[in-house]
């Protein structure tokens, strides 16, 4: 009976983890991000603290998928997720937003600090040679990042997301491999 109960508890934990993480990258998924953004914004407002949001998109990722294949693309996404995960504080939340887009919630960091952190991530990815993604090829990748902060760019999840997304598209229009704010 005890081993059966332990087994059920483990299954519940496995299911719970699967419901909040992206199956490919192992980082949080969009569903969890949406829930956490609202909670983190409420905490920031209650404590009168800043909060920043980064939206990052891999530049020309479709071209990589088209030339190297989907398996190489998946490997790339896994490696980028790992870079994102190791580039943030334990209090930050990184998630796969969709496709080749990633988001990072950064509690207690204002716009200047978030822009600096985003640029460090951008430069780190730009500097890497991804040799183990596609056999016999050394690949490079760049990333564009939009940054928005509470309260200056919005105090509600939709407004903050919209501002960060707008900043991301500003970076894309500006030539890619950039960090921008609204």
């Amino acid at each position: 009976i005890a081993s059966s109960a332990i087994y059920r508890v483990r299954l519940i934990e496995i299911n719970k983890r699967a419901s909040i993480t992206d199956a490919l990258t192992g980082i949080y998924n969009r569903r969890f991000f949406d829930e956490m953004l609202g909670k983190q914004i409420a905490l920031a407002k209650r404590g009168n603290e800043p909060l920043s949001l980064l939206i990052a998109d891999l530049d020309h990722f479709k071209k990589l998928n088209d030339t190297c294949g989907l398996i190489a693309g998946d490997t790339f996404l896994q490696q980028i997720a790992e870079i994102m995960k190791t580039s943030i504080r334990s209090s930050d939340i990184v998630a796969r937003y969709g496709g080749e887009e990633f988001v990072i919630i950064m509690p207690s960091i204002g716009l200047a600090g978030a822009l600096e952190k985003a640029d460090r991530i951008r430069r780190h990815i730009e500097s890497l040679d991804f040799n183990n993604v596609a056999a016999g090829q050394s690949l490079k990748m760049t990333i564009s990042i939009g940054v928005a902060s509470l309260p200056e760019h919005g105090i509600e999840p939709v407004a903050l997301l919209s501002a960060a997304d707008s900043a991301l598209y500003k970076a894309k229009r500006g030539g890619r491999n950039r960090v921008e704010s609204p």
Side-chain angles (χ1 to χ4, degrees):
I1 293 174
S3 69
S4 179
I6 291 170
Y7 178 72
R8 275 185 266 141
V9 167
R10 285 186 182 147
L11 282 179
I12 289 169
E13 285 301 312
I14 289 168
N15 277 339
K16 183 178 176 186
R17 178 109 177 108
S19 73
I20 63 171
T21 56
D22 176 62
L24 177 65
T25 62
I27 61 176
Y28 292 118
N29 61 22
R30 169 90 180 256
R31 178 177 162 203
F32 183 79
F33 163 78
D34 288 340
E35 185 177 317
M36 288 308 296
L37 182 60
K39 289 179 180 180
Q40 291 297 317
I41 287 174
L43 286 170
K45 288 193 297 191
R46 184 179 329 141
N48 200 27
E49 292 275 330
L51 177 137
S52 291
L53 177 65
L54 281 60
I55 298 182
D57 185 73
L58 298 176
D59 297 327
H60 306 294
F61 184 74
K62 183 180 180 334
K63 181 179 176 186
L64 173 95
N65 262 346
D66 291 346
T67 57
C68 298
L70 296 175
I71 293 173
D74 286 352
T75 302
F76 222 100
L77 290 172
Q78 291 166 337
Q79 290 183 12
I80 296 297
E82 188 61 30
I83 290 165
M84 295 274 190
K85 198 165 54 172
T86 59
S87 297
I88 61 172
R89 304 169 303 165
S90 61
S91 59
D92 297 339
I93 299 164
V94 64
R96 185 170 175 203
Y97 196 61
E100 69 273 11
E101 285 188 324
F102 296 87
V103 288
I104 302 174
I105 303 169
M106 303 178 93
S108 304
I109 289 191
L111 183 59
L115 287 167
E116 183 179 313
K117 177 57 110 173
D119 199 52
R120 276 199 305 263
I121 292 169
R122 182 200 63 76
R123 284 182 281 129
H124 180 69
I125 290 171
E126 177 187 40
S127 74
L128 295 174
D129 289 317
F130 294 90
N131 297 324
N132 58 346
V133 172
Q137 295 183 39
S138 179
L139 301 173
K140 299 294 274 180
M141 179 57 68
T142 59
I143 193 166
S144 297
I145 305 174
V147 180
S149 293
L150 178 137
E152 53 263 66
H153 301 118
I155 59 170
E156 297 300 326
V158 172
L160 204 56
L161 268 169
S162 179
D165 195 49
S166 173
L168 171 63
Y169 281 95
K170 182 179 174 184
K172 295 281 190 182
R173 284 189 309 273
R176 301 180 192 266
N177 192 27
R178 302 168 58 94
V179 173
E180 294 285 352
S181 62

